[in-house]
Amino acid sequence: MAQRKQRVRLLLQEGITSIDALAQHFTISVSTKRGVIYQMGLRIENSQVVV
């Protein structure tokens, strides 16, 4: 899980904030990706991750 969170942080730094794009990158469902994002302490607004 820590490795996945680190990869998400790197993608967010590159400007990839769409929840759909992040889910496709990890080949997981959007609802699973939402759970990971919330566990990281980040917010989602209008299907975009808010850093």
Side-chain angles (χ1 to χ4, degrees):
M1 183 66 80
Q3 211 173 33
R4 183 180 287 174
K5 289 179 183 179
Q6 183 179 12
R7 288 173 47 200
V8 169
R9 285 189 183 98
L10 290 173
L11 290 170
L12 292 173
Q13 288 174 356
E14 292 177 10
I16 300 172
T17 58
S18 168
I19 194 74
D20 292 326
L22 291 170
Q24 282 182 338
H25 179 79
F26 289 96
T27 60
I28 58 175
S29 71
V30 172
S31 60
T32 301
K33 179 47 69 182
R34 285 180 186 272
V36 171
I37 296 296
Y38 288 131
Q39 284 179 351
M40 292 174 64
L42 301 173
R43 295 179 302 135
I44 299 172
E45 290 181 7
N46 298 325
S47 296
Q48 300 289 319
V49 179
V50 180
V51 183

